[in-house]
């Protein structure tokens, strides 16, 4: 077991599944080994002082203290290491995450709308355009408030609790909230961000491993906070296209030729069977916290 895996297991973190996660893990590893060295060093020094300057050996107090340079050198070394950790690792990584977003054409854009006590996901349909949203349209069957009169929203995909994304493709999640402050946190992706009412806060990550990962709210948001969890499913490109097709059918929209934002590929359209009624849009399950 390498040191990163050891630190992750000690902290209770799942294995990293994103492209940038190893940088987060390296900082955590360095911080914990550094803190361990400080703890052992200062504890050893404290025990030495207790023994060396015990009352029996030195009954009279020495008011001059340490006269050598060793104390100054140790304190300067600690400050220097902390400065290198902050300026050389933490700030550059933070700046990269907030300033260097992937190009919009390459990334999958999804709106995450939090509420007590669930996460709603809004993706564009085959046209690649988000439908207009307004709080006046929010209801149990319309959790993100899509405007029913907006043609761009007819084929949009809305899910609650579960989001599917393709592997090895950047994902930009724009966070917002309908009620109180939440925090969208995906431990395996080493990513998280506050969802604040009235704000649209973007975060991004690139998943590297297919699988199912837990999504949690990391901000105390009410009595049901403990149960505010969801699922992030990282699919192969083929499985993701199948999921998009399924969601488009449930929404009553057109069949997507490819995922939103990806290059379009020709697709043969099959005529609808005569006399077969059109599939009715599925009603989303009632969201917790909605009246």
């Amino acid at each position: 077991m390498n040191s990163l895996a050891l630190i992750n297991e000690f902290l209770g973190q799942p294995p990293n599944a994103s492209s940038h996660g190893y940088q987060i893990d390296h900082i955590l590893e360095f911080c914990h080994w550094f803190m361990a060295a400080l703890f052992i060093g200062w504890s050893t020094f404290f025990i030495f002082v207790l023994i060396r300057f015990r009352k029996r050996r030195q009954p009279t107090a020495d008011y001059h203290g340490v006269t050598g340079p060793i104390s100054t050198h140790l304190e300067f070394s600690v400050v220097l290491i902390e400065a290198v950790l902050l300026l050389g690792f933490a700030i550059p990584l933070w700046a990269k995450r907030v300033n260097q977003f992937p190009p919009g054409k390459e990334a999958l854009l999804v709106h995450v709308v939090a509420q007590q006590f669930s996460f709603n996901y809004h993706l564009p349909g085959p046209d690649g355009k988000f439908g207009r949203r307004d709080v006046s349209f929010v209801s149990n069957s319309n959790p993100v408030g899509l405007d029913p009169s907006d043609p761009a929203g007819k084929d949009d995909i809305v899910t609650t609790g579960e989001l599917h994304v393709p592997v090895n493709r950047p994902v930009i999640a724009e966070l917002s909230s309908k009620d109180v402050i939440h925090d969208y946190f995906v431990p395996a992706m080493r990513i998280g961000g506050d969802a604040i009412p009235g704000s649209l806060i973007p975060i991004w990550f690139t998943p590297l491993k297919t699988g199912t990962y837990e999504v949690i709210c990391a901000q105390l948001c009410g009595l049901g906070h403990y149960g505010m969890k969801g699922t992030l499913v990282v699919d192969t490109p083929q499985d993701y296209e199948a999921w998009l097709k399924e969601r488009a059918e449930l929404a009553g929209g057109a069949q997507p030729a490819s995922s939103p934002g990806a290059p379009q590929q020709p697709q043969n359209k099959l005529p609808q069977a005569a006399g077969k009624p059109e599939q009715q849009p599925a009603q989303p399950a009632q969201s917790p916290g909605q009246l």
Side-chain angles (χ1 to χ4, degrees), residues 7-286:
I7 291 294
N8 287 338
E9 184 177 359
F10 175 75
L11 297 177
Q13 291 193 130
N16 170 54
S18 68
S19 60
H20 74 280
Y22 75 95
Q23 296 174 298
I24 305 293
D25 289 350
H26 276 300
I27 291 181
L28 289 175
E29 178 194 22
F30 187 88
C31 286
H32 281 80
W33 285 122
F34 179 56
M35 288 188 295
L38 286 179
F39 175 77
I40 294 174
W42 288 120
S43 297
T44 303
F45 176 73
F46 179 65
I47 294 173
F48 167 76
V49 169
L50 290 179
I51 297 175
R52 173 65 177 79
F53 298 102
R54 63 188 185 275
K55 183 177 180 181
R56 181 182 303 176
R57 181 170 180 176
Q58 192 167 351
T60 304
D62 181 3
Y63 297 99
H64 297 287
V66 178
T67 56
I70 184 65
S71 178
T72 302
H73 292 167
L74 286 175
E75 293 175 1
F76 178 77
S77 299
V78 171
V79 172
L80 180 62
I81 294 175
E82 292 177 347
V84 170
L85 182 64
L86 181 63
L87 300 177
F89 294 93
I91 291 180
L93 177 58
W94 172 80
K96 182 178 180 181
R97 300 306 304 168
V98 300
N99 294 328
Q100 300 179 18
F101 274 71
K105 293 183 179 180
E106 298 178 4
L108 171 67
L109 180 61
V110 54
H111 292 167
V112 181
V113 183
Q115 69 177 72
Q116 294 175 315
F117 297 97
S118 62
F119 292 107
N120 303 294
Y121 300 100
H122 178 201
L123 295 91
D127 60 2
K129 299 179 181 179
F130 283 95
R132 184 169 54 251
R133 300 201 310 259
D134 191 275
V135 67
S136 61
F137 297 111
V138 172
S139 65
N140 290 335
S141 60
N142 187 4
V144 300
L146 275 176
D147 185 349
S149 64
D150 183 14
K154 298 296 184 181
D155 59 353
D156 283 10
I157 297 173
V158 177
T159 65
T160 298
E162 182 175 285
L163 172 66
H164 287 243
V165 298
V167 69
N168 294 323
R169 183 179 176 187
V171 178
I172 300 177
E174 294 186 339
L175 312 179
S176 62
S177 173
K178 295 195 297 185
D179 37 45
V180 299
I181 297 177
H182 302 274
D183 189 289
Y184 186 77
F185 180 41
V186 189
M189 299 298 161
R190 306 295 192 265
I191 196 69
D194 285 340
I196 302 175
S199 298
L200 203 61
I201 300 176
I203 60 175
W204 71 278
F205 62 96
T206 302
L208 298 180
K209 301 177 182 178
T210 58
T212 301
Y213 304 99
E214 185 180 41
V215 178
I216 61 176
C217 177
Q219 174 69 43
L220 183 61
C221 57
L223 294 177
H225 166 70
Y226 68 94
M228 188 169 175
K229 299 178 181 179
T231 303
L232 175 70
V233 181
V234 180
D235 293 325
T236 62
Q238 295 78 13
D239 290 341
Y240 180 66
E241 295 297 332
W243 179 79
L244 284 179
K245 181 178 179 180
E246 177 187 358
R247 296 306 307 183
E249 291 175 350
L250 291 175
Q255 300 296 331
S258 60
S259 57
Q264 299 292 323
Q265 299 177 355
Q267 182 181 17
N268 295 328
K269 295 184 178 180
L270 298 177
Q272 185 176 352
K276 184 178 180 180
E278 294 184 0
Q279 191 170 3
Q280 296 298 323
Q283 296 296 329
Q286 182 171 343

